[in-house]
Amino acid sequence: MHLEFSYHRQGVINSLKQIVDMGINNFSQQEIGLSTEFVMEKEPVFNVDKYLRRINYSGTKEPNFTNLTSLCRCHATNVPEENLDWFGGQLRAPDLDRIYKNTVEEGRGGVCYEQNGLFGKLLSKLGYNVVLLEGRYYMQEKDEFSFPFNHMLLQVTLEGQDWLVDVRFGFPSFYLPLKMEVMTSQEQTTGIYRMRKVKGNEHEYFLEKRRKEIRDMDSCEIKSKQSKQQLSKYEIDPEWEIKFIYSDIPHTFEEFLPGWKTHFEDKVSFFRTNTLVQRFTDSGSLLLWGSIFIEMEFLGPLCEKVKRTEMLPGKDVAKEWNVLKDLIREKFRIVLDFKPNLARNHLI
């Protein structure tokens, strides 16, 4: 059937701490100015052609795997993951019409509920068989998974084959379709992935990624891809790390709203204590985490390199606003009409 529509972030912290600490150790956590109210407004009708222009997609509308892959790539490289409105902008009600206007007409991005939800609606309009799936990201330091409906992803069925689609988990995960087959290694530019069945639960699966080597700007090793010395209670292979757990039970968009609310109302959640803007490029990724800009280059599926790091105006955003605004426009293709209160919290 075609779906008619009626977050996860410990991995980011663990990978980036080593990059940030490499050369930026004197950064102090900033005062966080949080937006607290949602605005309701009348929204436009969903327009497929405008959406395709927004993501710079030039292929046909025929529902096939080649086009699905291209659509995923176009979305992930043109629409950033970002939560800047949570820090001084105007929050709007979490519904797909509002998300469409924010993303397509206003050129903004969003978190997984917004971007995977909207992308799923696009695919459905194009004739793909799409359902929404629930996920929970893995908190490595606690060796536990986050709360239910912490993350949204998609299942797309083509010619009897199910594909896992997730254009908005962000760094450092996949963004092209993965075949939903257990223990099958699948290589992408961002890494090598596989799905593993959760024992004792017929509907749940681990999404795992091969450990990678990370190099600094001088090509010196920061993080080794060597096998982990001690396995967690969920791991079975030291060469693979868990990114999140997901269920293959279909859900409606409305079922994710309590998870969205939890992210928003929890004053110590990642998205309420960290500003994040991220998008993929054809050969790497760009990240603005607080006032730190990081550019990564993928050197094959098992290695990536820090290409550039830069400390931007932090507490002096108002004073040096044009510097930050220009970088966000140039690197993330976002034009802001407000000054966000940038924040980065090491403790999440």
Coordinates of all heavy atoms in Angstrom, one line a residue, residues 4-32:
E4 N -0.5 7.2 3.2 CA -1.0 8.6 3.2 C -0.8 9.1 4.6 O -1.4 8.5 5.5 CB -2.5 8.5 2.7 CG -2.7 8.2 1.3 CD -2.1 9.1 0.3 OE1 -1.9 10.3 0.7 OE2 -1.7 8.7 -0.8
F5 N -0.1 10.1 4.7 CA 0.3 10.6 6.1 C -1.0 11.2 6.7 O -1.5 12.2 6.1 CB 1.5 11.5 6.0 CG 2.7 10.9 5.5 CD1 3.0 10.7 4.2 CD2 3.6 10.4 6.5 CE1 4.1 10.0 3.8 CE2 4.8 9.8 6.1 CZ 5.0 9.6 4.7
S6 N -1.9 10.8 7.7 CA -3.3 11.1 8.1 C -3.8 12.5 8.1 O -4.5 12.4 7.2 CB -3.6 10.6 9.4 OG -4.3 9.6 9.7
Y7 N 15.1 11.9 18.7 CA 15.7 12.1 17.4 C 16.2 11.2 17.7 O 15.8 10.5 17.4 CB 15.6 13.3 17.3 CG 16.7 13.9 16.4 CD1 17.3 13.9 15.7 CD2 16.8 14.2 16.4 CE1 18.0 14.2 14.9 CE2 18.0 14.7 15.7 CZ 18.3 14.4 15.0 OH 19.4 14.5 14.6
H8 N 19.2 11.1 19.4 CA 19.9 10.1 18.8 C 21.3 10.4 18.5 O 22.0 10.3 17.5 CB 19.3 9.7 17.5 CG 19.4 10.6 16.3 ND1 20.6 11.4 16.0 CD2 18.6 10.9 15.2 CE1 20.5 12.1 14.9 NE2 19.3 11.8 14.4
R9 N 21.7 10.9 19.3 CA 22.8 11.6 18.9 C 24.1 11.3 19.7 O 25.1 12.0 19.5 CB 22.5 13.1 19.1 CG 23.4 14.0 18.3 CD 23.4 13.7 16.8 NE 22.1 13.7 16.2 CZ 21.8 13.3 15.0 NH1 22.7 12.8 14.2 NH2 20.6 13.4 14.5
Q10 N 24.1 10.3 20.5 CA 25.4 10.0 21.2 C 26.5 9.6 20.2 O 27.7 9.9 20.5 CB 25.1 8.9 22.2 CG 26.3 8.6 23.1 CD 26.6 9.7 24.0 OE1 25.7 10.3 24.6 NE2 27.9 10.1 24.1
G11 N 26.1 9.0 19.1 CA 27.2 8.6 18.2 C 27.9 9.8 17.6 O 29.1 9.8 17.3
V12 N 27.2 10.9 17.4 CA 27.8 12.2 16.9 C 28.8 12.7 17.9 O 29.9 13.0 17.6 CB 26.7 13.2 16.7 CG1 27.3 14.5 16.3 CG2 25.7 12.8 15.6
I13 N 28.4 12.7 19.2 CA 29.2 13.2 20.2 C 30.5 12.4 20.3 O 31.6 13.0 20.3 CB 28.5 13.2 21.6 CG1 27.3 14.1 21.5 CG2 29.4 13.7 22.7 CD1 27.6 15.6 21.3
N14 N 30.4 11.1 20.4 CA 31.5 10.2 20.5 C 32.5 10.4 19.4 O 33.8 10.5 19.6 CB 31.1 8.8 20.6 CG 30.3 8.5 21.9 OD1 30.5 9.2 22.9 ND2 29.5 7.5 21.9
S15 N 32.1 10.5 18.2 CA 33.0 10.7 17.0 C 33.6 12.1 17.0 O 34.8 12.2 16.6 CB 32.2 10.4 15.7 OG 31.7 9.1 15.7
L16 N 32.8 13.1 17.4 CA 33.3 14.4 17.2 C 34.2 14.9 18.4 O 35.0 15.9 18.2 CB 32.2 15.4 17.0 CG 31.4 15.2 15.7 CD1 30.2 16.2 15.6 CD2 32.4 15.5 14.5
K17 N 34.0 14.3 19.5 CA 34.8 14.8 20.7 C 36.3 14.7 20.3 O 37.1 15.7 20.7 CB 34.5 13.9 21.9 CG 33.3 14.3 22.7 CD 33.2 13.4 23.9 CE 32.0 13.8 24.8 NZ 31.8 12.9 25.9
Q18 N 36.7 13.7 19.7 CA 38.1 13.5 19.3 C 38.6 14.6 18.4 O 39.7 15.1 18.4 CB 38.4 12.1 18.8 CG 38.0 11.0 19.8 CD 38.1 9.7 19.2 OE1 39.1 9.2 18.8 NE2 37.0 9.0 19.1
I19 N 37.7 14.9 17.4 CA 38.0 16.0 16.4 C 38.1 17.3 17.1 O 39.1 18.1 16.9 CB 37.0 16.0 15.3 CG1 37.0 14.6 14.6 CG2 37.3 17.1 14.3 CD1 35.8 14.5 13.6
V20 N 37.1 17.7 17.9 CA 37.1 19.0 18.5 C 38.2 19.1 19.5 O 38.9 20.1 19.6 CB 35.7 19.1 19.3 CG1 35.7 20.4 20.1 CG2 34.6 19.2 18.3
D21 N 38.5 18.1 20.3 CA 39.5 18.2 21.3 C 40.9 18.2 20.7 O 41.8 18.6 21.4 CB 39.4 17.0 22.3 CG 38.1 17.1 23.1 OD1 37.6 18.2 23.3 OD2 37.7 16.0 23.7
M22 N 41.0 17.8 19.5 CA 42.3 17.8 18.8 C 42.9 19.2 18.8 O 44.1 19.3 19.0 CB 42.1 17.3 17.3 CG 43.3 17.4 16.5 SD 42.9 16.9 14.8 CE 41.7 18.1 14.3
G23 N 42.1 20.2 18.6 CA 42.8 21.6 18.5 C 42.0 22.7 19.1 O 42.3 23.8 19.0
I24 N 40.8 22.4 19.7 CA 39.9 23.4 20.2 C 39.5 23.0 21.6 O 38.5 22.4 21.9 CB 38.7 23.6 19.3 CG1 39.1 23.8 17.9 CG2 37.8 24.7 19.8 CD1 37.9 23.8 16.9
N25 N 40.4 23.4 22.6 CA 40.2 22.9 23.9 C 39.7 24.0 24.9 O 39.4 23.7 26.0 CB 41.5 22.3 24.5 CG 41.9 21.0 23.7 OD1 41.0 20.1 23.5 ND2 43.1 21.0 23.3
N26 N 39.7 25.2 24.5 CA 39.4 26.3 25.4 C 38.0 26.9 25.2 O 37.7 28.0 25.6 CB 40.4 27.4 25.2 CG 41.8 27.0 25.5 OD1 42.0 26.2 26.5 ND2 42.7 27.4 24.7
F27 N 37.1 26.1 24.5 CA 35.7 26.5 24.2 C 34.9 26.4 25.5 O 34.9 25.3 26.1 CB 35.1 25.7 23.1 CG 33.8 26.2 22.7 CD1 33.6 27.3 21.9 CD2 32.6 25.4 23.2 CE1 32.3 27.7 21.6 CE2 31.4 25.8 22.8 CZ 31.2 26.9 22.0
S28 N 34.2 27.4 25.9 CA 33.3 27.4 27.1 C 31.9 27.3 26.6 O 31.5 27.8 25.6 CB 33.5 28.6 27.9 OG 33.2 29.8 27.2
Q29 N 31.1 26.5 27.3 CA 29.7 26.3 27.0 C 29.0 27.6 27.1 O 29.2 28.4 28.0 CB 29.0 25.3 28.0 CG 27.6 25.0 27.6 CD 27.0 24.0 28.5 OE1 27.7 23.3 29.2 NE2 25.7 23.9 28.5
Q30 N 28.1 27.9 26.1 CA 27.5 29.2 26.1 C 26.1 29.2 26.7 O 25.5 28.1 27.0 CB 27.3 29.6 24.6 CG 28.6 29.6 23.8 CD 28.3 29.7 22.3 OE1 27.3 30.2 21.9 NE2 29.2 29.1 21.6
E31 N 25.6 30.4 27.0 CA 24.3 30.5 27.5 C 23.4 30.1 26.4 O 23.6 30.5 25.2 CB 24.0 32.0 27.9 CG 24.7 32.4 29.2 CD 24.2 31.7 30.4 OE1 22.9 31.5 30.4 OE2 25.0 31.3 31.2
I32 N 22.4 29.4 26.7 CA 21.5 28.8 25.6 C 20.2 29.6 25.7 O 19.4 29.6 26.7 CB 21.2 27.3 25.9 CG1 22.5 26.6 25.8 CG2 20.2 26.8 24.8 CD1 22.4 25.1 26.2

